[in-house]
Amino acid sequence: MSPNPTRRRAAAATLTAALLVPALSACGSDGGKSGATASPSASASASAQVKPANLTVLAASSLTDVFKTAGAAYEKSHPGTKVTFSFAGSQELAAQVKQGAPADALVTADTKAMDGLRAETGDATVIAKNRLVIATGKGNPFKIDDLKDLADSKIKVVLAAPEVPVGRYGKQILDAQKIEVKPVSQEPNVRAVLSKVELGEADAGLVYKTDSAKSGDKVVNVDIPDDQNAVASYPAATIKQSKNGEAAAAFVAWLSTPEAQKILQDAGFQKP
């Protein structure tokens, strides 16, 4: 005898429901909310599983020391990944990116340089900030203690070129105080300015606080009051032409993690 049609439909419905339960469970539950995102721990796990790559990172000169430490830390926590840095003035790095230099990520010392590369980079994130100081020769023989002292014609002052972020910041704070300085030279990056002062080729220069702090007793740092100073921002972004897009994005994201931020702040950089 054939099964009753009603019973046959009930059995089919029961079987269908039984098959759907595991399928829905496999998709995960969002508590009734659509578009749920992964938990932080899940996201961290996914980041750690990014395929290893050899990354080339273009970075502002003022990040030279701290990024060597950060790069080593990143490689340790991401086995198989190698990070190679190329340091230069931000304006030079921007030119390299526009010319198609093979690189995966970029970190500049100002937002202006990064803003000019929107067609070549991903979205930028500020990872740190910095301030300027007056670096003077060993022992500060001219007793420089204020920005206005740099206007003294007897003092050999060296500045970064105005197209360089630190040079632009320097011009900004000097112009705001209506101080006219005639530099003996204009350098391509902050490290070159600091080197001139360290070697005694200049009596003073405007540099980032983090760079001057690394000079030890080779120079004397003269702080600039906050209301006369400028704040330098360091944005980081991936480069669109990178052949290691996922790994580059993971490195840029890592720069905002507590581990990376501690390295930056231990080196004297300010929180973003």
Side-chain angles (χ1 to χ4, degrees), residues 15-38:
L15 177 60
T16 301
L19 290 172
L20 282 174
V21 169
L24 290 171
S25 298
C27 293
S29 171
D30 62 5
K33 298 178 181 178
S34 62
T37 58

Side-chain angles (χ1 to χ4, degrees), residues 230-256:
V231 179
S233 295
Y234 290 74
T238 58
I239 296 175
K240 289 180 180 178
Q241 69 169 7
S242 169
K243 296 179 180 179
N244 304 298
E246 187 178 31
F251 176 75
V252 169
W254 178 82
L255 291 173
S256 295

Side-chain angles (χ1 to χ4, degrees), residues 108-129:
T108 62
D110 70 341
T111 56
K112 183 176 180 179
M114 187 67 79
D115 286 346
L117 297 170
R118 288 177 179 171
E120 291 84 11
T121 65
D123 292 337
T125 301
V126 174
I127 61 160
K129 292 191 175 183

Side-chain angles (χ1 to χ4, degrees), residues 202-261:
D203 302 314
L206 290 175
V207 300
Y208 294 121
K209 186 173 185 177
T210 52
D211 287 283
S212 191
K214 282 287 185 180
S215 293
D217 61 359
K218 294 180 183 178
V219 302
V220 173
N221 299 326
V222 177
D223 287 331
I224 301 171
D226 285 349
D227 62 351
Q228 298 178 15
N229 214 328
V231 179
S233 295
Y234 290 74
T238 58
I239 296 175
K240 289 180 180 178
Q241 69 169 7
S242 169
K243 296 179 180 179
N244 304 298
E246 187 178 31
F251 176 75
V252 169
W254 178 82
L255 291 173
S256 295
T257 65
E259 179 185 11
Q261 286 296 302

